[in-house]
Amino acid sequence: MPNLPQCDEVHPLCGSCQRHKVSCNYARVGPSRSSESSASTSRAKTASSGATVPAKENPDARKRRMLELKLFYLYMTNTGWSVSMPSGGPLSERSREIWATEMPGFALKHDSLLHAIYCVTAMHLSKMEPLNVEALEACNTYFCLAIRTHRHEVTHLNKDNADAALLTASIIRVCALVILQDRELTQYTPPTEWLLITKEAGYVFVESYPYVKDDPSSLSREILENNQELTENGAVFTGKKPWDLEAAFRVKNPAWLAHLLERSQDHERDEPWNADIEEVYKKAMSFIGTTKSAVDAKKNSGDVLRLLVVFPILTQKLFIDLVSEQQPRALVLLAHYFALLVPYREIWWIGDIGRREIKGIESALPVGWHQYLDWPLEVVREGTVTELKNQPMLKSLNLGSKNP
């Protein structure tokens, strides 16, 4: 076998190949004299024009860029999986993949969604690193940016931004729940802002869905259609979409909550009351009864949690007004709702909301109404919904990364 010429790594054509008159595999096209002359002229013009290249990046710009890269990476590897609720349906994993791996790429084209992703991830980071001041500041910065850009997007809704609007609204709902965790409860005030923010997300669903329902490339459409365990025959919302404001609940008049509509005491007869108020209370009771029945039947924990998250969307604005006015009966019903959230306290974006809100409501209620808090307070003492004492509530939930 003949000796191969040894390359002396001179470019564009090595000396060994020139001597042996062979083709050089590492040849590189070098600049011609004319191109070298042109480059020199260009550099001279640039210098003469006074243009300069910064010696180094602005420290503040680099700090923000590195933070956003960190948040983006954390979302794709952890946060995205933790906020995408697994369900009992066959396409659950596909929905979670959309949340964690496809939404970030889509967000690069839509500032509202990108800011929402940064916000929820900064919130997650602040829970993992409570002393991380940068993460805490980022929570507020990106929440404000997400809300501002999202509202501008919604006021100019069209087929090009409807998909992003739907996805952004879904993340903002989660962010609004996180904010509840650390709010001041020394003198209890109802969580009206959370109710209204989530209610607004429901309006976005209603307005945006017509733009995406026939779009095969829509990520939000695919996610919604993958949640058939909530919307198809035999599910909670038979023949309804989960944001339908007139959704019919299966448990119309839950017997175990019937006492919450009694009006036999003097202080009960003095409260505001008419047919509309009675109806919104019945709807709230029906929601609680339906969700509780799903828990009793040991339905998938992710499906139950998804139903709980959309509660403000499903309830009527009048109920939110009654809560805001601190009407005792409305607060009692709200306490029953929060009791259903208590078992999910291990999920970082739920935390101790259930227990804190129930205790806060107890402190704000007139003494005569305390008798109606027996079940919520029992749940607080037990730490879980009574019927699930021996069943891990989070068994069907994969928290954090895809493969925790």
Side-chain angles (χ1 to χ4, degrees), residues 333-347:
L333 286 166
L334 191 63
H336 281 69
Y337 163 78
F338 280 119
L340 293 165
L341 273 181
V342 169
Y344 293 94
R345 63 192 176 280
E346 294 179 36
I347 298 177

Side-chain angles (χ1 to χ4, degrees), residues 206-222:
V206 173
E207 296 298 322
S208 301
Y209 190 68
Y211 290 106
V212 304
K213 66 184 180 68
D214 297 320
D215 181 2
S217 66
S218 167
L219 298 180
S220 59
R221 178 199 61 80
E222 186 173 359

Side-chain angles (χ1 to χ4, degrees), residues 48-101:
S48 63
S49 67
T52 58
V53 177
K56 60 181 180 179
E57 185 178 9
N58 181 293
D60 290 338
R62 184 179 188 282
K63 182 179 179 181
R64 176 168 178 169
R65 179 169 59 85
M66 295 306 296
L67 171 63
E68 291 181 343
L69 285 172
K70 180 178 182 178
L71 295 176
F72 202 76
Y73 175 76
L74 179 60
Y75 180 88
M76 294 189 69
T77 58
N78 193 317
T79 306
W81 298 102
S82 72
V83 296
S84 57
M85 294 166 277
S87 71
L91 298 176
S92 172
E93 195 62 19
R94 169 57 186 157
S95 292
R96 300 189 76 209
E97 287 175 353
I98 292 174
W99 269 84
T101 64

Side-chain angles (χ1 to χ4, degrees), residues 258-271:
H259 64 287
L260 298 184
L261 282 182
E262 293 177 358
R263 302 184 64 243
S264 57
Q265 304 297 318
D266 289 341
H267 65 270
E268 295 170 337
R269 287 193 289 268
D270 292 337
E271 67 178 317

Side-chain angles (χ1 to χ4, degrees), residues 14-34:
C14 73
S16 178
C17 291
Q18 289 187 69
R19 288 194 305 275
H20 292 84
K21 297 181 180 180
V22 298
S23 176
C24 183
N25 292 331
Y26 296 92
R28 298 288 186 271
V29 178
S32 64
R33 291 185 180 276
S34 61

